Each structure stands twice: as structure tokens, then as C-alpha cells.
Amino acid sequence: MKYVLSRLFYSILVLWIVGTILFFMFRLMPGSPLAAFIDQTTTLEQQQALIARFGLDKSLFEQYLIFIQNVLQGDLGQSFFHRRPVTDVVMEALPNTVILTMSGLVVAYVFGVLAGAYLAWRRGTTVEGIGIPLALATRAAPEFWLGMVLLAFFSFHLGWFPAGGANTVGLSYDSEWERIFTLDYLRHLALPVLTLAIYLQGLPLLLMRSNMIEILQEEFVTMGKMKGLSSRTIVLNHAARNAMLPVATAFALGVGSAIGGNVVVETIFSWPGIGRLLVNAVSASDYPLAQGAFLIITAVLIAMNFIADMTYHLLDPRIRLAASN
Amino acid sequence: MSITRRKFLSTSASGALVASLAGLPKVALAQATTPVRALTLYSRAQAANPQQYQAAELIAQVWSDLGLDVTVSGLPQNQLSDVVWYNRDSWDVTMWQMVGRPERSDPDEFVMNLFHSQNIEVGYNFVGYNNPEYDRVAEAQRLEMDREARKALIYQAQEIINQDQPYLFLVYPTKSYAFDKTVFDAATMVNQPGLGIKNFLSFTNVQPLGDQKDLIMNTANELNAINPYYISGAGDSWMTELIWDRIMRIGEDGLPKPSGAESVTWNDEGTLATITMREGMTFHDGEPVRVEDLMFSLQSPQQAGVAPMYKPFVDPIVALEKIDDRTFTLELAQPNAAFETSTLAKLNIIPEHIWGPLLANLSEGESAEAVLEESRVGSGPFKFNRWNQSEVVLDAVADHFAAPKVERLIMRVVLNVEAALGMLRSGELNFLTDYTGDPQLLIDAAAADGDIEVVDVTDIGFQYLAFNCRRAPFDDPAFRRALSFAVNRRLITGAAYNGFGRPANSHVSPALPFWYDAATEEVPMGMDVVTAMLEDAGYSIVDGALHYPAGVSEQY
């Protein structure tokens, strides 16, 4: 319990530090939020009115105090451009991003873990000779290139999948749930998930493989063989469970980083997610939206880190023991 | 089309120029001269606007052959705006652009705003061009109600700018649009000068040929808001233009025509308009459109802080008076030739019964821009249905006076330009309204597909290089002329814009044929001319560096 509380305390501390850095970083960045309005016939008075409305006429420290006070009350402010609460804007995009990210990660990690274990087991064979370079090549291929190739082949050439968006043009749904649980949504999701999964599978695959190779040389594996257990039982029930520990951490951290890092996939497939929102917010100096979105991503990342710590506990009794001592 | 950068450099000014530099005086040694400082030429970052950056590099190359030390610096849009727009004394030369909009089909906005000295501090005249003679002509054209007489003044304004060259105009870009001609009857698309087929008339006129009754267009940018008091972005503007009616609309010939009004008539002085509204208009919630709504739409932005973006357009109005249930008068302090285009064809007809209470409840410091009126009730040919991060859906209003032939208009957000092209071919889009990719790709795709028709149009807007006229040596018109004419526009159009554009030398585009002065095309060409210009103005080359005339120095 003490361990959990201390992890929680550190998580909150990190969140506060990140929030503070975000706040000052965006305000010290060159470029003014007014820049996006200059193509209008704005007069000096109008510019000043805008500055006052955005609260930019107050001192930086004063703005910071207001920011912290609002965040504590769960208020991330109002987007300069959407003229709506940041929470609303972010929450509208978040489900799509979470679904894309989680699907991509699950596909990548399931494939990566199985393929990694298999390649470790088949060490020194032709399968490994082909598998490893292939995994490395796809891992190294730029995401946008991969996305464009998949788009060109599966969408433009074969016409199997739509070229963009999350739902077919013009279709309406009564609720968000109804929209998401349709075949149409899955068809739109397929290519972005495939791109993301191909891009992400390298890490779990290589991690799993190297862990497995190490573990397969351990005494308990030899013991298993001596006991006459089948290869399948040894690999899946004994070796894989141990080899998966670092992969579980990588997965948890991957969730956090992939939420913010989906900008490329979201742009290629016009996927209405948080990455797109973020790029626009930063380029338009929409401070509240940018810092709000980053703060939410950070919170997810920290939460995932926290969960990874806890999962480690469950997966490995030695850590549980060390912590309680 | 196939002019490469290498070829450009070998054939353009630069090669010939170096040879002829020998012709420049080698300095009157008796009097010391000072060199022109190293210059920075700003541009959008290469990745964001490759054509602009390429043009900047080509220009820098030509100028360096003239003895100038020029560095091209690519910046993100907001940083570039910060330097150029908000720190007006701090830069020398920058690449810039003016975009075409329906209300710019009257030359007044560019003629008045870009170069009038009243806009030097905060307005559009960010280059700091100050010429009282130009101010006089620009003001006179706004007051002149006789079209031919006004045309003469617009020509005169173009001549002055041609002489003074505060901008180095480069190109009026060609904009490409495409649609599926098996879905829509090509004969019903309306090609409006300067705007192409993406215009109000096309959206209401276009006739579907088969079962597909949805017009599905694209935008490459996210939408910020759909609010009749807020000009929040290009895609957003298209939605407001279709949901809310306007008193006038720009017609096929580029001139304003009554739309929500049945007639707009002016007194002889051009200061009093009598506006009779069209009969039988209704808002999308079923309420009738009343003359009070039209007056409210013109009045409400006049209040300070309500709609800052629309206020400048209603400021010239001094009085509004209701005559009867369909008629009101509108009085201006002085005649304004562009008023119909800039105001009556721009302001949305807003329902007073909805917005009156909303505006009355605005809190301190809040404007109508921040009000979220989710039903978005207008009286236009399309009714708001829904909007999410992927698309905006509008339904046709069958009993509108300009009732659309399509059933729905859907604007899809497609960020990836190649995907947009693929979607046009697969039928996920049927009207490509926002294409920023390589025009040749579009032409090739149309040829391969067979169902796609591409329509090109010369833009009302233009790409250019701006000289900061506040700072030496750009405060000298003779120097600007020489630098400007050293750059061959035709070759820039070919090398940087792949030939998809028209060489430019005026702030009035040939897309507005009535106002465009074709004489501005006859620019002095050839390096002997440029060197003679510099020589005449007293400039010289010393050890390969361009020097100011004797006795002139800079304080930077």
C-alpha cells in the first residue's frame, strides 16, 4: 500500500512538472496566437481586444497561477480557435485515437510476442534468417511511406478499403457507440491499424526474441525438457511468461507515447484523432488547446507507467517481495 | 513545364547579368561608398510551401549575381507572421501571398488596403509603402460611382505600383478543381472569374445525373467554427456562405447581384441605398425572414466587440431606416463603389429572434464569435445538419429561391492531398474543391480515369516578394525596380510553379479582366536595362559587392 501511495505521489509530481514546462514552453515559443488572424482586416483596437480576451495581457506568472487553479478544478480553458472548452474538443477526438492506438498496439504486440517467441525457438534456421531482417526492415520504414504504400495498394489499386476518415461519407449514427460498433468503422480502421501495427511490431518482436533466447538457456527450461514436457508447454507456459515481463512494460509505455505519436497515421488516413488536433493547435499557437491536449497525453502516459509498475508486481513475485521488504 | 532549376539559372538573368556587371561603374574612388548589408529573404519553410521556397532561392541567386549577399530563411507560418506582420521594422524582404476570395472580385480591397498609407502601422500595408499620389487615386476610385471613370483610376493605381514596385509580383497561381462528370452534369457547373467552379452558383446549380445526389467536396484543413459572426477559416467560410443568405451575391460576371434582396437601388450621389427584400423567405426553423432581420444583420456588428471581423465592413453605414415591411434604406457617409461587394455580398442575414437574445446575454469582454448556437439557423439554400471532426453535412432546402439540385452537400476533411485524389477516383469524393498538390498529377489522374473533369482558373490572389519600403535600400523605388526586373517572372513561373500560373506584375489580377491593366505586363527586360537602372540611380559594384550611391549609407 505504501508502495502504491508513493508511486501515486511521484506520478502527480511528474504531472505538475510537465504541466508547468508545457505552460511556459508554449508561451516562450516564437509566434503569436494573433498571427492566425492577420489575414482579416484587424485594427489595432481589435488586436488588443483579442489579446485581452485571451488573457494574454496579464503577466506570465499571473497567467500561470490562473492555469494551475483551473487545472485543479478540471478546467483546461477555452480553445482560442474553436471557441469551445478544451476538454470538449479533446474528448471528441480522444475515443478515435484510443481505439486506433489500442488496436494497433494489441495487433502489434500479439503478433510481436508470438513471432518473437517463435523466432527464438527456431534460432539458426532459415525462418529466422528471413524473419529478422523483415521485422527490422518494416520497423525502420518511415510510417508515412508505409501508410502511403498500403493506401495506394489496398485502397486505390484493389479498392478493398476506404482512403480516409472514420466512417463512410454522410452516414449518421444515433450515438457514439453505434458509430464505433459498425462494420463500416472497422473497414475504415483497418488500414490505419495495419500501418501502426507494422510500424510498432518490431519492438515487441525483438524484445521477446532476445528475452526468450536468454531464458531458453536457463536451468528450469532444461529441467522441463528433462521432465519430458512438450516444446509447446515449455515455450508458452514457462519461458514465454518470464520473457514477457519487459514486453509488458514496453506495451504500457507504448500506449502513452502512441496516443500522441499518431500524428502521421492520422494525417495520412484523415483519421479524426487527437494527433491532428495537436498539430493544428501548436501551429496556430492555440495555447490552451495545445497544453491541454499534451497534459491529457502526459496523464495517460503517467497512468500507464503506474499500471505497468503494478502489472510488474502481479507478473513477477520477486518484485512484489522486494517492494514489501 | 520542364524548366528545371539548373536550366533556369543558366538561361535566366543571372548568367547574362554577371557578364554585364562590368558595365557598372567601378566606383568613383574620390568619394567613398558603403556596401549594402547582408540581406535575409524570408519565406515559408520548404516543406510547407515548396514552390514559394524554390522561388525565393532562385531570386536570391539572381540577386547575389548583382552583388548582394542574400540568405533565404524558411520559417513556419506563425513565426513568419510574427516577424513580418507584428515587427514591421525588423525585416528586409519576404515572400508573401494574397489569396483570392469572392469579395475580392472587386479590386477595391487590394487597391485600397495593400498600399494606402493609412494601413502602414497595423493594416495590410505591412511593406510601409507611402505615396500620397497613390493614396489620392485609391481614395478616388472608392468614391467614383461611374464604372468607366473608376476603371481609369484603377488603371492609374496599377501604373503607380508598376513604377514604384513595392512588391515584386511573381505569379497569379492557377487553381485546379475537379469533379466526376458521370455524377454531375458538366454543363451546370458555373465557372466564375478568379474563383473557378467552387462557388455559390455551382453549389446551387449543379445537376446530378444519376442516383448519387450528394455533393461530396473536400477541405484540407480542420474546421474551427460555423458561426455567422466569425470568419474562422477558408473551409468554415464556405459553410457559412451556404447556410446563411446574403443581401447580394457575386454573380457569374464577378459583379454583385441582388440575392436576399429583390433590388438594391442607389441615389445619384451613391450615398443612400433603398433595399427591397425578396418575398417569401423563411429561416430554417420556419420563422419568416423580416426586414428587421436584414437591418439587424447590418446593425449588430456595428456595436463594439460583437463581431470584430465584420465591424470594418459595416463601419461606413451611418443610418438604417425601415420604410415598410419589405423595404429599408441604408445611408453611407460618402459614396463607396465597393460597398455592395465588400459588405452587402459578405454579411450573413442573421435571424434576430435567435441572435438578439444571445447578443444581449454576452458577458463582459465576450464576442459573438464565442457563442455556440448549435442549430445554426439561417435562410440559405442549405440547412445545417451536423458537423464532426470528419465532415460537415448540409441538407438542401427545397423551397429556397435558389434551391439546390443536389440533396445534400458534404464537406469532408481530408488532410492528405494524395488521398483526396484517390478518393475522387474511388467515388468517396465527387468534387475536389481543395487541391494543393502537383497539378500535373491531377491532370494525369483525370486522363487515366476518364470520368474526371479538371477545371483550371487563374486566381484573383497572387504570390509575391515584398520589399520593406521603410528600410534602405528598399526605400529607393529605383533600387526596387532594378531588383524586381532582374527577376524573370516567366522563368520563375516555369521553374518554381511548374508552369501552373500566370506571370504577374499588378495587384489587380487578370482574373478580373474589366479592371486588369494589361499594359503592366510590358516590363523592361534584359540585364543591360537592369544594370542601366542601377547605374542611373548611382549604385556601383566594389569587389563584387553592391554599394550604395555616394553619400548614402544605412543605419542598420
Side-chain angles (χ1 to χ4, degrees):
Chain A
M1 192 60 197
K2 195 179 153 201
Y3 174 74
V4 174
L5 284 177
S6 83
R7 296 304 303 167
L8 205 60
F9 170 75
Y10 282 118
S11 299
I12 292 167
L13 186 71
V14 171
L15 198 59
W16 171 66
I17 293 172
V18 172
T20 305
I21 293 174
L22 281 173
F23 177 86
F24 288 104
M25 192 175 76
F26 283 117
R27 277 155 184 82
L28 295 176
M29 237 169 45
S32 146
L34 294 183
F37 289 98
I38 59 162
D39 207 26
Q40 323 299 344
T41 323
T42 44
T43 63
L44 194 58
E45 292 79 50
Q46 288 162 14
Q47 286 176 21
Q48 278 160 352
L50 276 175
I51 289 176
R53 196 174 326 134
F54 294 164
L56 299 172
D57 51 345
K58 296 190 173 67
S59 77
L60 207 56
F61 187 67
E62 229 176 312
Q63 291 181 44
Y64 175 69
L65 286 183
I66 295 172
F67 165 69
I68 291 292
Q69 201 179 350
N70 288 343
V71 168
L72 286 177
Q73 291 165 2
D75 177 9
L76 292 174
Q78 235 201 357
S79 156
F80 290 166
F81 290 91
H82 296 264
R83 302 292 160 93
R84 287 195 297 145
V86 167
T87 328
D88 288 5
V89 178
V90 173
M91 285 307 163
E92 211 172 88
L94 201 60
N96 283 323
T97 292
V98 169
I99 290 169
L100 170 65
T101 306
M102 290 310 288
S103 314
L105 275 171
V106 167
V107 173
Y109 275 73
V110 168
F111 172 82
V113 164
L114 292 177
Y118 181 69
L119 288 177
W121 186 249
R122 302 289 304 269
R123 197 164 186 217
T125 63
T126 328
V127 178
E128 194 199 25
I130 298 168
I132 295 295
L134 198 67
L136 284 173
T138 46
R139 170 81 184 88
E143 227 175 338
F144 71 87
W145 177 82
L146 204 61
M148 285 308 295
V149 168
L150 293 178
L151 196 61
F153 187 70
F154 288 108
S155 176
F156 302 162
H157 183 65
L158 296 175
W160 289 359
F161 297 103
N167 288 94
T168 294
V169 177
L171 286 188
S172 66
Y173 300 92
D174 291 337
S175 71
E176 191 65 8
W177 287 112
E178 203 183 301
R179 181 180 76 81
I180 289 170
F181 291 107
T182 54
L183 200 61
D184 179 57
Y185 187 80
L186 284 180
R187 277 188 67 230
H188 283 79
L189 185 66
L191 286 184
V193 163
L194 190 59
T195 309
L196 199 60
I198 293 177
Y199 182 70
L200 293 173
Q201 52 73 38
L203 178 69
L205 187 149
L206 296 174
L207 204 59
M208 188 66 189
R209 178 181 159 273
S210 60
N211 291 340
M212 280 292 280
I213 288 171
E214 227 169 88
I215 285 166
L216 286 174
Q217 287 158 1
E218 300 260 342
E219 284 175 352
F220 73 88
V221 174
T222 319
M223 181 72 178
K225 280 181 187 162
M226 286 167 68
K227 273 162 65 181
L229 297 176
S230 70
S231 307
R232 190 191 160 87
T233 315
I234 296 173
V235 172
L236 292 181
N237 293 6
H238 296 273
R241 189 177 167 195
N242 283 286
M244 265 181 67
L245 279 175
V247 182
T249 317
F251 179 82
L253 293 180
V255 173
S257 52
I259 282 184
N262 282 341
V263 177
V264 176
V265 174
E266 287 181 7
T267 305
I268 295 170
F269 296 100
S270 301
W271 187 259
I274 207 169
R276 261 164 65 173
L277 206 65
L278 229 129
V279 171
N280 285 334
V282 171
S283 63
S285 295
D286 192 342
Y287 304 150
L289 185 54
Q291 73 199 12
F294 273 116
L295 205 61
I296 289 175
I297 290 170
T298 314
V300 172
L301 187 62
I302 291 172
M304 282 308 179
N305 217 338
F306 182 73
I307 291 170
D309 280 348
M310 298 300 119
T311 323
Y312 236 82
H313 253 235
L314 295 178
L315 285 176
D316 191 342
R318 285 169 299 180
I319 294 176
R320 192 158 55 215
L321 211 63
S324 61
N325 286 342
Chain B
M1 205 81 62
S2 59
I3 297 169
T4 60
R5 178 194 153 94
R6 185 184 297 274
K7 197 168 164 194
F8 169 85
L9 289 174
S10 65
T11 53
S12 79
S14 59
L17 185 62
V18 179
S20 60
L21 281 180
L24 277 181
K26 286 286 182 194
V27 177
L29 288 173
Q31 207 174 358
T33 57
T34 53
V36 175
R37 68 186 175 282
L39 303 170
T40 303
L41 166 53
Y42 288 113
S43 158
R44 290 287 303 279
Q46 188 169 16
N49 193 335
Q51 292 101 332
Q52 190 181 82
Y53 191 84
Q54 172 88 333
E57 282 206 313
L58 294 171
I59 292 168
Q61 180 65 50
V62 174
W63 286 357
S64 67
D65 289 339
L66 272 175
L68 286 168
D69 179 4
V70 189
T71 312
V72 176
S73 171
L75 294 178
Q77 173 70 57
N78 60 338
Q79 282 183 40
L80 184 63
S81 301
D82 208 34
V83 172
V84 173
W85 208 267
Y86 294 107
N87 294 287
R88 298 189 171 197
D89 289 328
S90 69
W91 54 277
D92 291 314
V93 269
T94 183
M95 306 299 286
W96 206 259
Q97 64 174 358
M98 285 293 154
V99 299
R101 291 194 193 134
E103 64 271 19
R104 287 178 172 170
S105 25
D106 187 287
D108 177 76
E109 187 172 331
F110 281 159
V111 167
M112 192 70 186
N113 290 351
L114 296 186
F115 300 119
H116 194 286
S117 61
Q118 74 186 12
N119 302 321
I120 287 180
E121 257 173 69
V122 289
Y124 272 101
N125 189 354
F126 65 99
V127 294
Y129 174 69
N130 192 345
N131 180 344
E133 170 63 5
Y134 183 87
D135 287 357
R136 192 190 60 72
V137 174
E139 286 162 20
Q141 66 78 26
R142 181 172 275 188
L143 298 176
E144 183 55 66
M145 301 304 279
D146 178 76
R147 275 186 81 202
E148 285 301 327
R150 187 172 172 230
K151 177 179 176 173
L153 289 164
I154 297 284
Y155 268 45
Q156 208 182 331
Q158 293 176 76
E159 269 314 311
I160 297 173
I161 294 305
N162 185 19
Q163 279 306 310
D164 288 352
Q165 294 286 317
Y167 289 177
L168 190 176
F169 294 96
L170 291 169
V171 56
Y172 307 107
T174 303
K175 277 175 46 181
S176 300
Y177 301 104
F179 64 96
D180 190 326
K181 59 188 176 196
T182 62
V183 175
F184 298 119
D185 180 359
T188 56
M189 282 281 180
V190 180
N191 199 346
Q192 208 170 324
L195 294 174
I197 53 171
K198 181 191 183 184
N199 61 62
F200 178 81
L201 297 169
S202 283
F203 291 140
T204 48
N205 258 3
V206 72
Q207 181 73 50
L209 292 170
D211 293 340
Q212 175 57 283
K213 306 282 187 204
D214 289 342
L215 188 156
I216 310 164
M217 60 195 272
N218 72 309
T219 173
N221 297 301
E222 309 268 359
L223 270 75
N224 288 318
I226 302 175
N227 177 327
Y229 283 110
Y230 184 21
I231 307 170
S232 45
D236 315 23
S237 296
W238 276 109
M239 295 297 99
T240 43
E241 174 143 9
L242 296 170
I243 298 170
W244 284 274
D245 266 321
R246 291 175 181 183
I247 294 174
M248 301 185 93
R249 299 257 186 200
I250 306 298
E252 210 170 327
D253 54 3
L255 298 173
K257 303 275 185 297
S259 178
E262 192 175 274
S263 66
V264 178
T265 51
W266 291 89
N267 66 356
D268 290 343
E269 293 77 37
T271 50
L272 189 79
T274 305
I275 299 173
T276 306
M277 62 175 278
R278 190 183 282 271
E279 219 167 349
M281 291 165 72
T282 48
F283 285 113
H284 300 148
D285 62 355
E287 291 290 320
V289 180
R290 305 159 308 135
V291 72
E292 285 84 355
D293 292 308
L294 272 65
M295 294 168 67
F296 173 79
S297 307
L298 294 165
Q299 235 158 18
S300 49
Q302 284 188 312
Q303 305 161 42
V306 165
M309 287 173 176
Y310 283 103
K311 191 166 185 299
F313 306 112
V314 292
D315 273 344
I317 302 171
V318 289
L320 291 163
E321 194 183 337
K322 180 180 171 181
I323 304 296
D324 59 40
D325 280 349
R326 282 181 57 211
T327 315
F328 71 100
T329 57
L330 176 157
E331 195 183 340
L332 302 178
Q334 54 182 0
N336 185 334
F339 184 78
E340 289 186 345
T341 302
S342 64
T343 305
L344 297 183
K346 191 178 177 83
L347 265 80
N348 299 305
I349 298 179
I350 296 169
E352 188 182 12
H353 66 277
I354 291 177
W355 280 92
L358 288 173
L359 296 187
N361 290 331
L362 287 181
S363 56
E364 180 72 30
E366 195 187 20
S367 81
E369 292 171 358
V371 174
L372 188 64
E373 190 259 308
E374 293 203 34
S375 53
R376 297 178 174 92
V377 172
S379 64
F382 287 94
K383 181 179 173 177
F384 178 78
N385 178 323
R386 68 173 182 276
W387 166 31
N388 57 37
Q389 228 191 328
S390 291
E391 62 191 22
V392 182
V393 180
L394 306 181
D395 297 331
V397 177
D399 57 0
H400 189 267
F401 61 86
K405 317 288 185 293
V406 295
E407 284 176 5
R408 295 192 300 177
L409 184 141
I410 300 168
M411 187 161 77
R412 189 85 169 164
V413 180
V414 184
L415 305 178
N416 176 353
V417 73
E418 281 80 18
L421 196 51
M423 289 165 106
L424 180 67
R425 293 191 64 179
S426 69
E428 287 171 77
L429 293 176
N430 50 35
F431 192 171
L432 190 68
T433 46
D434 193 353
Y435 182 72
T436 50
D438 183 351
Q440 193 57 48
L441 269 181
L442 179 57
I443 293 169
D444 294 345
D449 192 278
D451 293 342
I452 297 169
E453 183 159 331
V454 179
V455 183
D456 289 333
V457 65
T458 301
D459 201 353
I460 296 176
F462 43 85
Q463 301 282 330
Y464 63 100
L465 176 147
F467 297 111
N468 194 339
C469 305
R470 300 170 183 85
R471 286 159 71 96
F474 304 107
D475 56 350
D476 178 2
F479 186 78
R480 295 196 302 257
R481 270 178 77 75
L483 255 59
S484 177
F485 297 139
V487 175
N488 186 327
R489 272 82 161 165
R490 199 174 52 78
L491 287 166
I492 288 266
T493 308
Y497 296 92
N498 288 333
F500 290 95
R502 187 167 162 173
N505 189 32
S506 165
H507 50 319
V508 178
S509 162
L512 310 175
F514 183 78
W515 306 108
Y516 176 63
D517 179 8
T520 54
E521 289 172 20
E522 293 149 22
V523 295
M525 292 286 278
M527 277 310 117
D528 42 345
V529 180
V530 172
T531 48
M533 280 178 183
L534 284 171
E535 212 174 301
D536 288 349
Y539 293 86
S540 56
I541 297 263
V542 180
D543 298 332
L546 191 66
H547 277 225
Y548 283 101
V552 179
S553 64
E554 59 189 31
Q555 288 91 43
Y556 304 100

